[in-house]
PDB file of all heavy atoms in Angstrom:
ATOM      1  N   SER A 138       5.155 -10.923  -6.628  1.00 93.00           N
ATOM      2  CA  SER A 138       4.363 -10.488  -7.771  1.00 93.00           C
ATOM      3  C   SER A 138       3.429  -9.375  -7.308  1.00 93.00           C
ATOM      4  O   SER A 138       2.930  -9.401  -6.181  1.00 93.00           O
ATOM      5  CB  SER A 138       3.540 -11.674  -8.281  1.00 93.00           C
ATOM      6  OG  SER A 138       2.512 -11.229  -9.131  1.00 93.00           O
ATOM      7  N   CYS A 139       3.172  -8.417  -8.168  1.00 95.00           N
ATOM      8  CA  CYS A 139       2.266  -7.316  -7.823  1.00 95.00           C
ATOM      9  C   CYS A 139       0.857  -7.822  -7.500  1.00 95.00           C
ATOM     10  O   CYS A 139       0.137  -7.207  -6.718  1.00 95.00           O
ATOM     11  CB  CYS A 139       2.222  -6.289  -8.941  1.00 95.00           C
ATOM     12  SG  CYS A 139       3.793  -5.430  -9.188  1.00 95.00           S
ATOM     13  N   ASN A 140       0.476  -8.948  -8.072  1.00 94.00           N
ATOM     14  CA  ASN A 140      -0.839  -9.522  -7.772  1.00 94.00           C
ATOM     15  C   ASN A 140      -0.983  -9.864  -6.294  1.00 94.00           C
ATOM     16  O   ASN A 140      -2.087  -9.831  -5.761  1.00 94.00           O
ATOM     17  CB  ASN A 140      -1.093 -10.767  -8.618  1.00 94.00           C
ATOM     18  CG  ASN A 140      -1.284 -10.441 -10.075  1.00 94.00           C
ATOM     19  OD1 ASN A 140      -1.693  -9.342 -10.434  1.00 94.00           O
ATOM     20  ND2 ASN A 140      -0.971 -11.392 -10.932  1.00 94.00           N
ATOM     21  N   LYS A 141       0.111 -10.190  -5.642  1.00 95.00           N
ATOM     22  CA  LYS A 141       0.069 -10.512  -4.209  1.00 95.00           C
ATOM     23  C   LYS A 141      -0.295  -9.288  -3.378  1.00 95.00           C
ATOM     24  O   LYS A 141      -0.783  -9.419  -2.262  1.00 95.00           O
ATOM     25  CB  LYS A 141       1.402 -11.082  -3.728  1.00 95.00           C
ATOM     26  CG  LYS A 141       1.820 -12.360  -4.395  1.00 95.00           C
ATOM     27  CD  LYS A 141       0.929 -13.507  -3.997  1.00 95.00           C
ATOM     28  CE  LYS A 141       1.499 -14.168  -2.768  1.00 95.00           C
ATOM     29  NZ  LYS A 141       0.640 -15.185  -2.221  1.00 95.00           N
ATOM     30  N   LEU A 142      -0.054  -8.097  -3.910  1.00 96.00           N
ATOM     31  CA  LEU A 142      -0.387  -6.870  -3.187  1.00 96.00           C
ATOM     32  C   LEU A 142      -1.849  -6.459  -3.368  1.00 96.00           C
ATOM     33  O   LEU A 142      -2.315  -5.543  -2.691  1.00 96.00           O
ATOM     34  CB  LEU A 142       0.527  -5.713  -3.637  1.00 96.00           C
ATOM     35  CG  LEU A 142       2.008  -5.882  -3.325  1.00 96.00           C
ATOM     36  CD1 LEU A 142       2.808  -4.746  -3.932  1.00 96.00           C
ATOM     37  CD2 LEU A 142       2.247  -5.979  -1.828  1.00 96.00           C
ATOM     38  N   THR A 143      -2.562  -7.125  -4.263  1.00 96.00           N
ATOM     39  CA  THR A 143      -3.958  -6.751  -4.514  1.00 96.00           C
ATOM     40  C   THR A 143      -4.945  -7.852  -4.141  1.00 96.00           C
ATOM     41  O   THR A 143      -6.131  -7.746  -4.459  1.00 96.00           O
ATOM     42  CB  THR A 143      -4.170  -6.365  -5.993  1.00 96.00           C
ATOM     43  OG1 THR A 143      -3.815  -7.457  -6.825  1.00 96.00           O
ATOM     44  CG2 THR A 143      -3.381  -5.123  -6.359  1.00 96.00           C
ATOM     45  N   ASP A 144      -4.473  -8.887  -3.459  1.00 96.00           N
ATOM     46  CA  ASP A 144      -5.403  -9.911  -2.997  1.00 96.00           C
ATOM     47  C   ASP A 144      -5.888  -9.553  -1.591  1.00 96.00           C
ATOM     48  O   ASP A 144      -5.522  -8.519  -1.039  1.00 96.00           O
ATOM     49  CB  ASP A 144      -4.781 -11.309  -3.067  1.00 96.00           C
ATOM     50  CG  ASP A 144      -3.547 -11.468  -2.198  1.00 96.00           C
ATOM     51  OD1 ASP A 144      -3.273 -10.598  -1.329  1.00 96.00           O
ATOM     52  OD2 ASP A 144      -2.833 -12.464  -2.373  1.00 96.00           O
ATOM     53  N   ASP A 145      -6.700 -10.415  -1.002  1.00 94.00           N
ATOM     54  CA  ASP A 145      -7.245 -10.087   0.321  1.00 94.00           C
ATOM     55  C   ASP A 145      -6.333 -10.491   1.477  1.00 94.00           C
ATOM     56  O   ASP A 145      -6.645 -10.227   2.624  1.00 94.00           O
ATOM     57  CB  ASP A 145      -8.651 -10.664   0.489  1.00 94.00           C
ATOM     58  CG  ASP A 145      -8.674 -12.186   0.439  1.00 94.00           C
ATOM     59  OD1 ASP A 145      -7.639 -12.795   0.103  1.00 94.00           O
ATOM     60  OD2 ASP A 145      -9.732 -12.773   0.724  1.00 94.00           O
ATOM     61  N   ASP A 146      -5.186 -11.090   1.194  1.00 96.00           N
ATOM     62  CA  ASP A 146      -4.207 -11.438   2.225  1.00 96.00           C
ATOM     63  C   ASP A 146      -3.273 -10.244   2.415  1.00 96.00           C
ATOM     64  O   ASP A 146      -2.431  -9.964   1.562  1.00 96.00           O
ATOM     65  CB  ASP A 146      -3.412 -12.672   1.794  1.00 96.00           C
ATOM     66  CG  ASP A 146      -2.314 -13.049   2.773  1.00 96.00           C
ATOM     67  OD1 ASP A 146      -2.265 -12.483   3.893  1.00 96.00           O
ATOM     68  OD2 ASP A 146      -1.495 -13.907   2.418  1.00 96.00           O
ATOM     69  N   ILE A 147      -3.405  -9.548   3.542  1.00 96.00           N
ATOM     70  CA  ILE A 147      -2.606  -8.347   3.755  1.00 96.00           C
ATOM     71  C   ILE A 147      -1.263  -8.632   4.418  1.00 96.00           C
ATOM     72  O   ILE A 147      -0.455  -7.729   4.575  1.00 96.00           O
ATOM     73  CB  ILE A 147      -3.379  -7.277   4.557  1.00 96.00           C
ATOM     74  CG1 ILE A 147      -3.712  -7.755   5.968  1.00 96.00           C
ATOM     75  CG2 ILE A 147      -4.620  -6.840   3.796  1.00 96.00           C
ATOM     76  CD1 ILE A 147      -4.291  -6.686   6.859  1.00 96.00           C
ATOM     77  N   SER A 148      -0.995  -9.877   4.761  1.00 96.00           N
ATOM     78  CA  SER A 148       0.266 -10.189   5.446  1.00 96.00           C
ATOM     79  C   SER A 148       1.479  -9.929   4.559  1.00 96.00           C
ATOM     80  O   SER A 148       2.501  -9.419   5.031  1.00 96.00           O
ATOM     81  CB  SER A 148       0.270 -11.632   5.959  1.00 96.00           C
ATOM     82  OG  SER A 148       0.184 -12.546   4.884  1.00 96.00           O
ATOM     83  N   ASP A 149       1.384 -10.241   3.261  1.00 95.00           N
ATOM     84  CA  ASP A 149       2.519  -9.980   2.372  1.00 95.00           C
ATOM     85  C   ASP A 149       2.698  -8.484   2.119  1.00 95.00           C
ATOM     86  O   ASP A 149       3.825  -8.007   1.984  1.00 95.00           O
ATOM     87  CB  ASP A 149       2.421 -10.761   1.067  1.00 95.00           C
ATOM     88  CG  ASP A 149       1.046 -10.730   0.425  1.00 95.00           C
ATOM     89  OD1 ASP A 149       0.208  -9.890   0.815  1.00 95.00           O
ATOM     90  OD2 ASP A 149       0.812 -11.550  -0.470  1.00 95.00           O
ATOM     91  N   ASP A 150       1.612  -7.724   2.098  1.00 97.00           N
ATOM     92  CA  ASP A 150       1.703  -6.271   1.959  1.00 97.00           C
ATOM     93  C   ASP A 150       2.446  -5.681   3.163  1.00 97.00           C
ATOM     94  O   ASP A 150       3.354  -4.850   3.006  1.00 97.00           O
ATOM     95  CB  ASP A 150       0.317  -5.633   1.901  1.00 97.00           C
ATOM     96  CG  ASP A 150      -0.574  -6.191   0.815  1.00 97.00           C
ATOM     97  OD1 ASP A 150      -0.716  -7.419   0.711  1.00 97.00           O
ATOM     98  OD2 ASP A 150      -1.156  -5.384   0.077  1.00 97.00           O
ATOM     99  N   ILE A 151       2.058  -6.134   4.351  1.00 96.00           N
ATOM    100  CA  ILE A 151       2.679  -5.634   5.579  1.00 96.00           C
ATOM    101  C   ILE A 151       4.144  -6.043   5.635  1.00 96.00           C
ATOM    102  O   ILE A 151       5.006  -5.235   5.992  1.00 96.00           O
ATOM    103  CB  ILE A 151       1.899  -6.127   6.822  1.00 96.00           C
ATOM    104  CG1 ILE A 151       0.524  -5.445   6.860  1.00 96.00           C
ATOM    105  CG2 ILE A 151       2.685  -5.865   8.103  1.00 96.00           C
ATOM    106  CD1 ILE A 151      -0.411  -5.986   7.912  1.00 96.00           C
ATOM    107  N   SER A 152       4.453  -7.277   5.264  1.00 95.00           N
ATOM    108  CA  SER A 152       5.849  -7.731   5.258  1.00 95.00           C
ATOM    109  C   SER A 152       6.700  -6.883   4.327  1.00 95.00           C
ATOM    110  O   SER A 152       7.848  -6.538   4.648  1.00 95.00           O
ATOM    111  CB  SER A 152       5.943  -9.193   4.813  1.00 95.00           C
ATOM    112  OG  SER A 152       5.326 -10.028   5.735  1.00 95.00           O
ATOM    113  N   CYS A 153       6.144  -6.511   3.197  1.00 95.00           N
ATOM    114  CA  CYS A 153       6.875  -5.690   2.236  1.00 95.00           C
ATOM    115  C   CYS A 153       7.142  -4.295   2.810  1.00 95.00           C
ATOM    116  O   CYS A 153       8.257  -3.773   2.720  1.00 95.00           O
ATOM    117  CB  CYS A 153       6.091  -5.600   0.931  1.00 95.00           C
ATOM    118  SG  CYS A 153       6.946  -4.711  -0.376  1.00 95.00           S
ATOM    119  N   VAL A 154       6.131  -3.691   3.428  1.00 93.00           N
ATOM    120  CA  VAL A 154       6.309  -2.366   4.037  1.00 93.00           C
ATOM    121  C   VAL A 154       7.355  -2.424   5.145  1.00 93.00           C
ATOM    122  O   VAL A 154       8.225  -1.554   5.235  1.00 93.00           O
ATOM    123  CB  VAL A 154       4.964  -1.819   4.566  1.00 93.00           C
ATOM    124  CG1 VAL A 154       5.162  -0.636   5.489  1.00 93.00           C
ATOM    125  CG2 VAL A 154       4.071  -1.440   3.398  1.00 93.00           C
ATOM    126  N   VAL A 155       7.299  -3.456   5.965  1.00 92.00           N
ATOM    127  CA  VAL A 155       8.280  -3.600   7.045  1.00 92.00           C
ATOM    128  C   VAL A 155       9.681  -3.759   6.467  1.00 92.00           C
ATOM    129  O   VAL A 155      10.648  -3.180   6.979  1.00 92.00           O
ATOM    130  CB  VAL A 155       7.910  -4.776   7.979  1.00 92.00           C
ATOM    131  CG1 VAL A 155       9.042  -5.124   8.920  1.00 92.00           C
ATOM    132  CG2 VAL A 155       6.649  -4.432   8.757  1.00 92.00           C
ATOM    133  N   LYS A 156       9.808  -4.510   5.381  1.00 91.00           N
ATOM    134  CA  LYS A 156      11.118  -4.664   4.744  1.00 91.00           C
ATOM    135  C   LYS A 156      11.656  -3.318   4.275  1.00 91.00           C
ATOM    136  O   LYS A 156      12.820  -2.991   4.486  1.00 91.00           O
ATOM    137  CB  LYS A 156      11.048  -5.642   3.579  1.00 91.00           C
ATOM    138  CG  LYS A 156      12.388  -5.783   2.860  1.00 91.00           C
ATOM    139  CD  LYS A 156      12.378  -6.810   1.804  1.00 91.00           C
ATOM    140  CE  LYS A 156      13.667  -6.988   1.069  1.00 91.00           C
ATOM    141  NZ  LYS A 156      14.877  -6.453   1.606  1.00 91.00           N
ATOM    142  N   LEU A 157      10.813  -2.521   3.638  1.00 89.00           N
ATOM    143  CA  LEU A 157      11.240  -1.203   3.174  1.00 89.00           C
ATOM    144  C   LEU A 157      11.671  -0.320   4.341  1.00 89.00           C
ATOM    145  O   LEU A 157      12.707   0.348   4.280  1.00 89.00           O
ATOM    146  CB  LEU A 157      10.123  -0.523   2.387  1.00 89.00           C
ATOM    147  CG  LEU A 157       9.705  -1.173   1.083  1.00 89.00           C
ATOM    148  CD1 LEU A 157       8.509  -0.447   0.482  1.00 89.00           C
ATOM    149  CD2 LEU A 157      10.855  -1.218   0.101  1.00 89.00           C
ATOM    150  N   LEU A 158      10.873  -0.313   5.402  1.00 87.00           N
ATOM    151  CA  LEU A 158      11.189   0.515   6.567  1.00 87.00           C
ATOM    152  C   LEU A 158      12.493   0.090   7.227  1.00 87.00           C
ATOM    153  O   LEU A 158      13.344   0.927   7.540  1.00 87.00           O
ATOM    154  CB  LEU A 158      10.046   0.459   7.588  1.00 87.00           C
ATOM    155  CG  LEU A 158       8.740   1.121   7.177  1.00 87.00           C
ATOM    156  CD1 LEU A 158       7.634   0.775   8.166  1.00 87.00           C
ATOM    157  CD2 LEU A 158       8.899   2.620   7.053  1.00 87.00           C
ATOM    158  N   THR A 159      12.651  -1.207   7.432  1.00 86.00           N
ATOM    159  CA  THR A 159      13.874  -1.678   8.098  1.00 86.00           C
ATOM    160  C   THR A 159      15.100  -1.503   7.215  1.00 86.00           C
ATOM    161  O   THR A 159      16.170  -1.166   7.719  1.00 86.00           O
ATOM    162  CB  THR A 159      13.742  -3.144   8.553  1.00 86.00           C
ATOM    163  OG1 THR A 159      13.385  -3.958   7.443  1.00 86.00           O
ATOM    164  CG2 THR A 159      12.707  -3.292   9.647  1.00 86.00           C
ATOM    165  N   ASP A 160      14.948  -1.694   5.906  1.00 84.00           N
ATOM    166  CA  ASP A 160      16.086  -1.477   5.000  1.00 84.00           C
ATOM    167  C   ASP A 160      16.586  -0.046   5.058  1.00 84.00           C
ATOM    168  O   ASP A 160      17.786   0.205   5.110  1.00 84.00           O
ATOM    169  CB  ASP A 160      15.718  -1.824   3.556  1.00 84.00           C
ATOM    170  CG  ASP A 160      15.802  -3.300   3.250  1.00 84.00           C
ATOM    171  OD1 ASP A 160      16.174  -4.078   4.151  1.00 84.00           O
ATOM    172  OD2 ASP A 160      15.492  -3.682   2.109  1.00 84.00           O
ATOM    173  N   ILE A 161      15.666   0.904   5.052  1.00 80.00           N
ATOM    174  CA  ILE A 161      16.094   2.307   5.040  1.00 80.00           C
ATOM    175  C   ILE A 161      16.697   2.695   6.388  1.00 80.00           C
ATOM    176  O   ILE A 161      17.643   3.482   6.448  1.00 80.00           O
ATOM    177  CB  ILE A 161      14.945   3.255   4.616  1.00 80.00           C
ATOM    178  CG1 ILE A 161      15.483   4.558   4.023  1.00 80.00           C
ATOM    179  CG2 ILE A 161      14.015   3.578   5.734  1.00 80.00           C
ATOM    180  CD1 ILE A 161      15.996   4.468   2.646  1.00 80.00           C
ATOM    181  N   VAL A 162      16.209   2.104   7.481  1.00 81.00           N
ATOM    182  CA  VAL A 162      16.784   2.407   8.803  1.00 81.00           C
ATOM    183  C   VAL A 162      18.160   1.765   8.944  1.00 81.00           C
ATOM    184  O   VAL A 162      19.110   2.402   9.392  1.00 81.00           O
ATOM    185  CB  VAL A 162      15.844   1.938   9.935  1.00 81.00           C
ATOM    186  CG1 VAL A 162      16.538   1.983  11.284  1.00 81.00           C
ATOM    187  CG2 VAL A 162      14.597   2.803   9.958  1.00 81.00           C
ATOM    188  N   LYS A 163      18.268   0.512   8.549  1.00 80.00           N
ATOM    189  CA  LYS A 163      19.545  -0.207   8.690  1.00 80.00           C
ATOM    190  C   LYS A 163      20.615   0.306   7.739  1.00 80.00           C
ATOM    191  O   LYS A 163      21.767   0.472   8.110  1.00 80.00           O
ATOM    192  CB  LYS A 163      19.349  -1.705   8.428  1.00 80.00           C
ATOM    193  CG  LYS A 163      18.689  -2.454   9.530  1.00 80.00           C
ATOM    194  CD  LYS A 163      18.582  -3.920   9.154  1.00 80.00           C
ATOM    195  CE  LYS A 163      17.882  -4.725  10.200  1.00 80.00           C
ATOM    196  NZ  LYS A 163      17.710  -6.120   9.771  1.00 80.00           N
ATOM    197  N   ASN A 164      20.244   0.522   6.490  1.00 78.00           N
ATOM    198  CA  ASN A 164      21.231   0.818   5.454  1.00 78.00           C
ATOM    199  C   ASN A 164      21.234   2.260   4.966  1.00 78.00           C
ATOM    200  O   ASN A 164      22.108   2.639   4.194  1.00 78.00           O
ATOM    201  CB  ASN A 164      21.020  -0.109   4.255  1.00 78.00           C
ATOM    202  CG  ASN A 164      21.092  -1.559   4.645  1.00 78.00           C
ATOM    203  OD1 ASN A 164      21.932  -1.951   5.436  1.00 78.00           O
ATOM    204  ND2 ASN A 164      20.189  -2.364   4.114  1.00 78.00           N
ATOM    205  N   GLY A 165      20.244   3.048   5.354  1.00 76.00           N
ATOM    206  CA  GLY A 165      20.170   4.431   4.915  1.00 76.00           C
ATOM    207  C   GLY A 165      20.206   4.523   3.405  1.00 76.00           C
ATOM    208  O   GLY A 165      19.530   3.785   2.698  1.00 76.00           O
ATOM    209  N   PHE A 166      21.032   5.421   2.908  1.00 69.00           N
ATOM    210  CA  PHE A 166      21.090   5.608   1.466  1.00 69.00           C
ATOM    211  C   PHE A 166      22.031   4.623   0.781  1.00 69.00           C
ATOM    212  O   PHE A 166      22.316   4.760  -0.400  1.00 69.00           O
ATOM    213  CB  PHE A 166      21.441   7.063   1.140  1.00 69.00           C
ATOM    214  CG  PHE A 166      20.270   7.965   1.375  1.00 69.00           C
ATOM    215  CD1 PHE A 166      20.159   8.695   2.542  1.00 69.00           C
ATOM    216  CD2 PHE A 166      19.245   8.033   0.444  1.00 69.00           C
ATOM    217  CE1 PHE A 166      19.055   9.503   2.767  1.00 69.00           C
ATOM    218  CE2 PHE A 166      18.141   8.840   0.668  1.00 69.00           C
ATOM    219  CZ  PHE A 166      18.046   9.574   1.832  1.00 69.00           C
TER     220      PHE A 166
END
Side-chain angles (χ1 to χ4, degrees):
S138 164
C139 294
N140 291 334
K141 299 291 270 173
L142 296 175
T143 59
D144 61 13
D145 63 351
D146 176 10
I147 64 172
S148 63
D149 45 15
D150 305 50
I151 291 172
S152 295
C153 184
V154 166
V155 168
K156 178 175 180 16
L157 295 175
L158 292 170
T159 55
D160 278 359
I161 205 76
V162 168
K163 285 181 182 176
N164 303 319
F166 285 99

